[in-house]
């Protein structure tokens, strides 16, 4: 496994991470603790040390699976990234939660679910620019960094071309950008990546296999179950990507 410094941070992360949205039950099946343990065991075996999750992958469901795993392993061996900004109601149904009080409540629930005293990377989760441009929010989060509950802040941008949030990352104390990037979507190369290089921001490339379309498992005409997020993708675009 290769490792890289994540932006300006002191985090040395594996170039491959474990994404855990699937643990929340929106990718065609439900997971249990044993399956989550097996996935994380294999990750550790091959040298992966980065786990990426979110508060709304289930109602902290993914975080709880990870937390139970971490309770039985060395916490310091893992770099845990999670996110804030939404509350999961049911599959594909979330409420936006961007107030300072809501975010602090989410942070405490994430810490409890992950069974940890600190989060390595706490990320603004695909929120709109008007919620991002809230100085009170970032001041409050910085206080949580000073308190030791968060090691570093990040931004998971909702659009691959969101240069507004990317260009302001350093100003709000963010050390990393998370963005969709794969062989079928290279839009971040245009503006986002140059800004990240200029600011020395770490980059987490999410959806690296284009929701599985690059995995080789699916051919044009593939269909997905109602409980699979890919069933909600635009059919014509899905066919184009698969071709």
């Amino acid at each position: 496994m290769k490792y890289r410094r994540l932006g300006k941070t002191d985090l040395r992360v594996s170039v491959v991470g474990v994404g855990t949205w699937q643990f929340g039950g929106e990718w065609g099946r439900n997971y249990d603790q044993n399956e989550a343990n097996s996935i994380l065991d294999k990750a550790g075996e091959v040298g992966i040390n980065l786990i990426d999750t979110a508060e709304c992958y289930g109602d902290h469901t993914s975080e709880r699976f990870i937390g139970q795993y971490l309770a039985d392993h060395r916490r310091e061996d893992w770099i845990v990234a999670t996110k804030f900004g939404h509350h999961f109601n049911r599959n594909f149904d979330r409420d936006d939660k961007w107030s300072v009080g809501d975010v602090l409540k989410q942070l405490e629930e994430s810490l409890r679910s992950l069974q940890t005293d600190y989060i390595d990377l706490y990320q603004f989760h695909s929120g709109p620019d008007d919620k991002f441009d809230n100085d009170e929010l970032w001041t409050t989060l910085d206080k949580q960094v000073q308190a030791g509950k968060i090691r570093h802040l990040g931004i998971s941008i909702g659009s691959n071309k969101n240069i507004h949030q990317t260009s302001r990352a350093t100003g709000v104390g963010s050390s990393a950008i998370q963005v969709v990037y794969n062989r079928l979507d290279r839009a971040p190369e245009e503006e986002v990546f140059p800004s990240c290089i200029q600011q020395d921001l770490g980059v987490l490339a999410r959806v690296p296999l284009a929701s599985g379309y690059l995995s080789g498992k699916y051919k044009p005409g593939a269909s997905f179950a109602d409980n699979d997020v890919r069933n909600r993708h635009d059919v014509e675009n899905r066919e184009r990507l698969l071709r």
Side-chain angles (χ1 to χ4, degrees):
M1 182 59 64
K2 296 179 180 178
Y3 300 87
R4 294 182 186 147
R5 173 180 56 84
L6 187 68
K8 294 185 283 284
T9 76
D10 57 355
L11 303 177
R12 183 171 174 268
V13 299
S14 52
V15 297
V16 177
V18 180
T20 60
W21 183 1
Q22 72 273 27
F23 290 172
E26 292 182 317
W27 286 81
R29 54 168 296 190
N30 292 320
Y31 284 75
D32 61 30
Q33 186 66 54
N34 288 335
E35 291 172 309
N37 290 349
S38 295
I39 290 170
L40 296 174
D41 277 341
K42 185 63 177 181
E45 179 184 320
V46 300
I48 292 172
N49 69 353
L50 173 64
I51 304 172
D52 184 63
T53 187
E55 82 295 4
C56 63
Y57 296 167
D59 186 7
H60 295 274
T61 304
S62 176
E63 290 180 335
R64 283 194 292 273
F65 282 141
I66 295 164
Q68 188 57 54
Y69 181 84
L70 293 176
D72 297 325
H73 295 78
R74 283 166 44 94
R75 169 68 178 90
E76 59 269 28
D77 290 343
W78 295 92
I79 293 168
V80 179
T82 192
K83 310 179 188 78
F84 65 88
H86 309 283
H87 179 261
F88 177 94
N89 298 314
R90 61 191 65 84
N91 278 5
F92 317 120
D93 179 12
R94 292 161 170 76
D95 293 327
D96 290 343
K97 296 287 186 179
W98 295 110
S99 75
V100 169
D102 284 333
V103 171
L104 288 175
K105 182 179 178 181
Q106 291 173 58
L107 172 61
E108 293 302 326
E109 184 60 34
S110 288
L111 289 167
R112 281 194 295 270
S113 298
L114 290 165
Q115 299 191 45
T116 185
D117 295 327
Y118 65 94
I119 292 166
D120 295 287
L121 184 66
Y122 200 47
Q123 302 163 99
F124 181 89
H125 192 185
S126 301
D129 290 346
D130 66 310
K131 301 302 182 184
F132 176 87
D133 294 332
N134 180 358
D135 290 341
E136 183 185 4
L137 173 63
W138 295 104
T139 298
T140 299
L141 288 171
D142 180 65
K143 291 179 180 177
Q144 302 308 304
V145 173
Q146 300 305 316
K149 294 183 178 182
I150 300 169
R151 292 182 69 188
H152 302 283
L153 295 170
I155 305 165
S156 182
I157 58 177
S159 164
N160 290 358
K161 297 183 178 181
N162 192 322
I163 195 62
H164 176 85
Q165 294 180 19
T166 302
S167 65
R168 290 162 174 75
T170 300
V172 299
S174 171
S175 301
I177 295 292
Q178 184 166 172
V179 61
V180 173
Y181 183 58
N182 56 59
R183 290 288 293 272
L184 296 176
D185 189 344
R186 297 174 61 176
E189 295 175 1
E190 298 172 12
E191 290 188 287
V192 169
F193 287 170
S195 181
C196 290
I197 292 169
Q198 180 185 22
Q199 298 178 72
D200 193 18
L201 301 174
V203 172
L204 278 66
R206 72 177 186 268
V207 200
L209 293 178
S211 300
Y213 299 157
L214 285 171
S215 68
K217 293 172 63 176
Y218 306 105
K219 306 299 180 186
S223 61
F224 299 91
D226 290 344
N227 63 341
D228 191 314
V229 68
R230 291 168 293 192
N231 184 55
R232 304 169 68 85
H233 291 180
D234 178 79
V235 175
E236 289 186 7
N237 189 52
R238 183 171 69 205
E239 286 297 292
R240 179 183 66 83
L241 294 175
L242 287 171
R243 283 197 302 272

